[in-house]
Amino acid sequence: MALPEAEHIWYDGKLVKWHEATTHVLTHSLHYGNAVFEGVRAYMTPKGLAILCLEAHTKRLFESAKACGIKIPFTAEQINQAHIDLLKSNTYTDNVYIRPLVFLGYGKMGVSHIGCPVNVAIAAWQWGAYMGEEALQNGIKVKIASWMKPAPFSMMSKAKASANYFNSQMANFEAHEAGCDEALLLDPQGFIAEGSGECFFIVKDGVIITPPNDTSLESITQKNVIQIAKDLGYTVLRQRITRDEAYNADEAFFTGTAAEVTPISSIDSRVIGSGKRGSVSHELQGAYFDIVMGKNPKYEHLLTYIN
Ligand SMILES: Cc1ncc(COP(=O)(O)O)c(C=O)c1O
């Protein structure tokens, strides 16, 4: 699917034309994989575009960079303002996905990244549901990947590091090749870690369970959904989930900035619950969309309005 282009991209402190935000083929990150990024959404609320959890995303971007040994040549305040300037400079009529990227640029080759120039780009385009509207309503088919999440002594899963997404990409590819929509990855102990780009939740006997972030991204949406669920009166447990527990869940769903709240209809061909979006998933999904669309004053603090 073609990317819905916007007019500008924020690139190293300037707004440049979409097609002028380019880089050299000897860009260090392209060869050795060290880059960090964020996935942010802005929603078209009744009061105009509003960025969801901007400060939390920028904080994680800086923490990812620090973990990966990259010094971002801007302050967090400058990066926050850059998001706002970018959205103001473009024309959008619907919800937007924002992709800040920090990468090691041109000027040095070899594995060592010491002394590499650091570039920062932020692009934002109109984007709908990550896996389509149908997925939000009817759920998706999930396959447990043969690839596992790397142990914490191999990779840093809490960093939103581009390098981590090779593992995600291969798992996602395997799931698609097997006729499924998304992959679920196990940790080195065999417990469920997360999806290729989402956190995992189950509902069992009315209790909501989601794994700790030992081998998964410290997710902003997971934290929000846990808060929403608690506010709705649910008990939420952060505990490890085994494969058979997942198969026998009453409901299962993915969460993420891109995936929002996406119900899961089957895992490894085991139908979850009724095989349709469950009532708890539905309720959480509704509450989540109300919040991001600016319809719940209690959560207004999560939104940064552009106008
Ligand atoms: C691997 C992975 N896990 C979890 C998530 C969900 O994180 P968040 O809710 O902060 O978007 C994402 C998406 O960014 C992801 O890529």
Side-chain angles (χ1 to χ4, degrees):
M1 200 185 80
L3 209 54
E5 294 172 7
E7 293 96 313
H8 302 109
I9 287 177
W10 188 94
Y11 199 6
D12 289 335
K14 295 192 190 75
L15 291 166
V16 302
K17 292 217 171 69
W18 182 272
H19 285 283
E20 288 169 14
T22 55
T23 190
H24 197 275
V25 290
L26 293 183
T27 292
H28 200 274
S29 295
L30 213 50
H31 298 253
Y32 304 105
N34 192 3
V36 297
F37 67 96
E38 269 305 315
V40 189
R41 272 195 191 266
Y43 288 89
M44 195 57 86
T45 74
K47 288 196 270 172
L49 261 188
I51 305 177
L52 179 65
C53 297
L54 173 59
E55 285 175 13
H57 281 286
T58 299
K59 182 166 182 278
R60 191 170 65 185
L61 184 71
F62 276 77
E63 289 179 355
S64 298
K66 182 177 177 186
C68 293
I70 301 175
K71 180 143 182 25
I72 301 179
F74 295 95
T75 63
E77 292 68 34
Q78 285 172 318
I79 296 295
N80 285 337
Q81 189 59 45
H83 282 70
I84 295 167
D85 294 345
L86 175 69
L87 294 197
K88 277 188 175 162
S89 81
N90 288 329
T91 313
Y92 302 108
T93 53
D94 211 336
N95 302 338
V96 172
Y97 185 81
I98 312 170
R99 167 55 51 84
L101 171 72
V102 179
F103 64 99
L104 300 169
Y106 171 79
K108 197 183 169 211
M109 285 307 271
V111 170
S112 168
H113 73 299
I114 300 168
C116 272
V118 178
N119 297 108
V120 185
I122 309 174
W125 59 92
Q126 253 172 239
W127 223 25
Y130 183 51
M131 292 182 249
E133 282 302 323
E134 156 85 13
L136 290 177
Q137 283 182 30
N138 297 326
I140 56 165
K141 283 159 66 177
V142 168
K143 179 188 185 309
I144 296 188
S146 65
W147 300 96
M148 74 173 183
K149 289 289 296 187
F153 50 72
S154 296
M155 292 293 269
M156 298 179 283
S157 58
K158 283 189 185 56
K160 202 165 165 69
S162 299
N164 289 339
Y165 287 85
F166 178 66
N167 176 252
S168 282
Q169 191 178 82
M170 290 300 107
N172 175 277
F173 180 54
E174 180 184 276
H176 279 274
E177 289 292 290
C180 293
D181 305 297
E182 181 55 300
L184 191 55
L185 290 101
L186 304 181
D187 67 20
Q189 280 75 44
F191 294 92
I192 289 170
E194 61 180 348
S196 79
E198 311 84 9
C199 286
F200 181 70
F201 285 72
I202 59 169
V203 183
K204 186 71 178 176
D205 300 328
V207 173
I208 297 172
I209 309 171
T210 187
N213 297 121
D214 294 342
T215 47
S216 61
L217 189 67
E218 216 153 57
S219 154
I220 293 162
T221 319
Q222 185 184 35
K223 196 168 156 222
N224 286 339
V225 168
I226 289 171
Q227 189 57 52
I228 295 166
K230 286 183 176 167
D231 285 356
L232 289 170
Y234 289 101
T235 301
V236 184
L237 304 177
R238 295 301 302 270
Q239 66 185 37
R240 300 200 292 189
I241 299 170
T242 60
R243 190 171 188 144
D244 44 1
E245 265 178 287
Y247 289 160
N248 286 306
D250 299 329
E251 296 182 32
F253 56 91
F254 276 136
T255 64
T257 303
E260 297 163 316
V261 179
T262 300
I264 294 172
S265 56
S266 71
I267 304 174
D268 293 345
S269 305
R270 276 75 163 182
V271 172
I272 304 302
S274 64
K276 297 245 172 317
R277 174 173 59 187
S279 60
V280 179
S281 315
H282 197 179
E283 189 182 7
L284 291 172
Q285 198 184 48
Y288 184 79
F289 281 122
D290 277 355
I291 289 165
V292 300
M293 297 302 295
K295 294 181 192 156
N296 186 337
K298 192 172 166 225
Y299 289 85
E300 278 275 311
H301 61 280
L302 299 181
L303 302 176
T304 301
Y305 288 95
I306 296 308
N307 297 313

